[in-house]
């Protein structure tokens, strides 16, 4: 059973702080890792992808991947109230033309003004 | 910016009825997917579709479900005889040949089975 685990939260941070979201996965052959943001009642919106060990930065967002520890994280710097949402970690075990995503339950982030 | 579209946004049906959920993937994408999310639960994979055939399907995707690409733009999910437990948000997603890992989601169809 391929699992993706996230702390469901809620995670509450003050405006301007760094929010740190974590995710672990069970399948060692996982190749691709994604963070999606989901506002209440809306669809998942892609924030970042990461494929190699280390850090990947995009604006205020930094994704970190450690395949040995089967761990991926998302840092949000200078958090804004508009960042308040559920953050979904998704993992893709690629094989042939199969690219299904396995999602975690998500972490609810609240940024307080 | 190209986006995935879905219709209808909300579908209400009676148990046992057939429903068809429609999606228009991003125009140059070749990989198509359906996911569902029951209220308060995680997003779950249903099926992937490539080159006019199913690539993979989950245990949820039983004989009551089918997918079709009836023309060059639409991608549909049919549920033949709906059950109460089919009530969920259904998301269509697509990805392109250059980056098939990266999936973009449509706004979803909320299916309510009474």
């Amino acid at each position: 059973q391929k699992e993706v685990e996230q702390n469901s939260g809620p995670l509450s941070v003050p405006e301007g702080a760094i929010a740190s979201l974590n995710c672990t996965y069970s399948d060692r052959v996982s190749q691709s890792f994604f963070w999606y943001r989901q506002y209440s009642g809306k669809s998942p919106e892609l924030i970042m992808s990461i494929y190699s060990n280390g850090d990947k930065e995009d604006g205020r967002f930094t994704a970190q991947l450690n395949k040995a520890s089967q761990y991926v994280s998302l840092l949000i710097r200078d958090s804004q109230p508009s960042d308040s949402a559920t953050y979904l970690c998704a993992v893709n075990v690629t094989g042939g033309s199969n690219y299904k995503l396995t999602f975690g339950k998500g972490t609810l982030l609240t940024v307080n003004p | 910016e190209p986006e995935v579209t879905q219709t209808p946004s909300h579908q209400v049906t009676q148990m046992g009825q057939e429903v068809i959920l429609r999606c228009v993937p991003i125009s140059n994408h070749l990989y198509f997917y359906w996911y569902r999310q029951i209220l308060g639960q995680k997003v779950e994979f249903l099926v992937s579709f490539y080159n006019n055939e199913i690539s993979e399907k989950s245990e949820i995707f039983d004989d009551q479900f089918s997918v079709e690409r009836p023309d060059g733009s639409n991608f549909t999910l049919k549920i033949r005889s709906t059950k109460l437990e089919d009530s969920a948000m259904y998301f269509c997603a697509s990805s392109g040949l250059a980056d098939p890992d990266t999936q973009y989601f449509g706004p979803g169809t909320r299916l309510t089975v009474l």
Side-chain angles (χ1 to χ4, degrees):
Chain A
Q1 181 85 8
K2 300 179 178 64
E3 296 289 343
V4 178
E5 300 290 338
Q6 296 181 254
N7 187 330
S8 61
L11 173 65
S12 184
V13 301
E15 184 174 355
I18 295 175
S20 177
L21 304 158
N22 304 314
C23 172
T24 59
Y25 59 94
S26 62
D27 194 329
R28 284 201 166 270
V29 300
S30 299
Q31 299 293 319
S32 312
F33 307 86
F34 303 86
W35 284 98
Y36 286 83
R37 177 172 62 197
Q38 187 176 32
Y39 293 110
S40 181
K42 302 296 186 182
S43 63
E45 173 192 6
L46 180 67
I47 298 176
M48 290 191 70
S49 60
I50 187 166
Y51 302 92
S52 305
N53 282 328
D55 294 359
K56 179 181 177 183
E57 186 174 319
D58 184 0
R60 295 187 296 113
F61 299 97
T62 299
Q64 300 173 316
L65 175 61
N66 183 326
K67 288 188 178 181
S69 300
Q70 294 176 243
Y71 176 89
V72 58
S73 66
L74 180 70
L75 299 177
I76 306 174
R77 288 182 300 282
D78 188 24
S79 296
Q80 300 297 309
S82 58
D83 294 328
S84 298
T86 297
Y87 288 80
L88 308 179
C89 174
V91 173
N92 190 336
V93 180
T94 57
S97 59
N98 301 330
Y99 297 103
K100 75 174 190 180
L101 291 175
T102 300
F103 282 85
K105 288 186 177 179
T107 298
L108 177 62
L109 172 66
T110 301
V111 181
N112 301 305
Chain B
E1 186 171 324
E3 58 184 21
V4 178
T5 59
Q6 291 185 243
T7 54
S9 57
H10 191 187
Q11 174 89 47
V12 181
T13 190
Q14 295 290 325
M15 189 169 54
Q17 295 297 303
E18 174 183 288
V19 295
I20 297 176
L21 310 183
R22 302 181 192 280
C23 168
V24 178
I26 293 172
S27 64
N28 61 346
H29 282 185
L30 298 178
Y31 299 88
F32 314 119
Y33 314 84
W34 285 100
Y35 293 82
R36 80 171 186 190
Q37 187 176 31
I38 295 171
L39 188 64
Q41 298 189 23
K42 65 172 71 174
V43 177
E44 300 175 288
F45 169 81
L46 292 178
V47 66
S48 59
F49 190 88
Y50 170 73
N51 200 24
N52 284 318
E53 61 183 23
I54 289 174
S55 306
E56 187 170 352
K57 57 185 180 180
S58 71
E59 293 175 352
I60 303 167
F61 195 89
D62 61 21
D63 292 344
Q64 293 301 311
F65 291 86
S66 63
V67 290
E68 190 179 29
R69 186 153 165 84
D71 53 43
S73 59
N74 290 284
F75 180 52
T76 62
L77 174 69
K78 181 193 292 186
I79 309 175
R80 255 180 282 281
S81 178
T82 50
K83 307 182 186 71
L84 295 176
E85 54 265 38
D86 293 328
S87 294
M89 281 289 285
Y90 287 81
F91 297 113
C92 174
S94 69
S95 61
L97 193 60
D99 187 10
D101 283 335
T102 302
Q103 299 180 24
Y104 297 90
F105 282 70
T109 293
R110 179 171 298 283
L111 176 65
T112 302
V113 183
L114 302 175

